[in-house]
Every structure is written in structure tokens, then in C-alpha cells.
């Protein structure tokens, strides 16, 4: 009877070890997948950062252009004032 219960215990321990090995393998695969996903996310964020940098450069160009337009409007306003003053005399 002791031999039988000992064999049953050994078999149970073997089954537990097999299940633990499977769990360990699954956890390892999961960790690998998660790392891979985070690497993909990091690459995607780098791409997004590059896009934002390009957008920022474009906005800088647009701001410069608006400043040039504002300066041109100021010049036109001054010319119109001079014409108005000259015509009102």
C-alpha cells in the first residue's frame, strides 16, 4: 500500500512538474510577445516624433511667411496713408 501511494505521489509530482514547465514556457512566450509589442510601439513613437518634428518645421515656415505678409501689409498701409495724406491736401 505504501508503494502504491508513493507511486501515486510521484506521478502527481511529475504531472505538476510538467504543468509548471508548460506554465513557464507560456510565461516566457508571453514576455517575449510583450517585449516585441513594446519594441514595435517604441518604433512607432519614434516615427510619430519624426512626423511632429516635420510639422513643427512646417509651422515655423508658415510663421515666417505670415510675418513677411504682415510686414508687406504694414508697407501697403504706410503707402496708402501717404497717398491719402497727399490727396487730402
Amino acid at each position: 500500500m505504501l508503494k502504491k501511494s508513493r507511486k501515486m505521489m510521484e506521478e502527481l509530482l511529475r504531472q505538476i512538474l510538467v504543468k509548471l514547465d508548460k506554465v513557464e514556457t507560456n510565461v516566457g512566450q508571453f514576455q517575449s510577445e510583450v517585449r516585441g509589442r513594446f519594441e514595435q510601439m517604441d518604433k512607432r513613437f519614434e516615427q510619430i516624433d519624426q512626423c511632429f518634428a516635420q510639422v513643427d518645421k512646417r509651422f515655423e515656415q508658415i510663421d515666417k511667411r505670415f510675418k513677411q505678409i504682415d510686414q508687406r501689409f504694414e508697407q501697403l498701409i504706410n503707402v496708402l496713408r501717404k497717398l491719402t495724406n497727399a490727396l487730402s491736401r
Side-chain angles (χ1 to χ4, degrees):
M1 180 108 165
L2 285 175
K3 285 185 180 182
K4 192 172 188 179
S5 63
R6 185 173 182 191
K7 283 190 176 196
M8 286 175 58
M9 291 293 279
E10 286 175 357
E11 180 58 30
L12 274 173
L13 285 173
R14 269 189 231 110
Q15 289 176 3
I16 290 170
L17 287 174
V18 167
K19 288 183 180 186
L20 285 174
D21 284 343
K22 287 181 182 178
V23 167
E24 186 178 12
T25 300
N26 289 340
V27 167
Q29 289 174 346
F30 177 75
Q31 286 176 332
S32 177
E33 287 178 30
V34 168
R35 279 190 202 103
R37 293 291 181 156
F38 275 111
E39 287 173 3
Q40 289 175 346
M41 289 169 52
D42 285 344
K43 288 178 185 175
R44 186 65 183 130
F45 280 125
E46 286 175 17
Q47 292 172 344
I48 291 169
D49 286 344
Q50 290 172 355
C51 288
F52 277 124
Q54 291 175 349
V55 168
D56 285 344
K57 286 180 184 177
R58 185 64 181 132
F59 275 127
E60 286 175 17
Q61 293 171 347
I62 291 169
D63 284 345
K64 285 180 183 177
R65 185 68 180 132
F66 275 129
K67 285 178 185 177
Q68 291 171 349
I69 291 170
D70 284 345
Q71 289 173 350
R72 185 65 182 138
F73 277 138
E74 284 296 322
Q75 291 171 353
L76 290 173
I77 289 170
N78 288 334
V79 167
L80 288 174
R81 280 186 187 141
K82 288 178 183 176
L83 283 173
T84 305
N85 288 337
L87 292 174
S88 65
R89 291 185 192 162

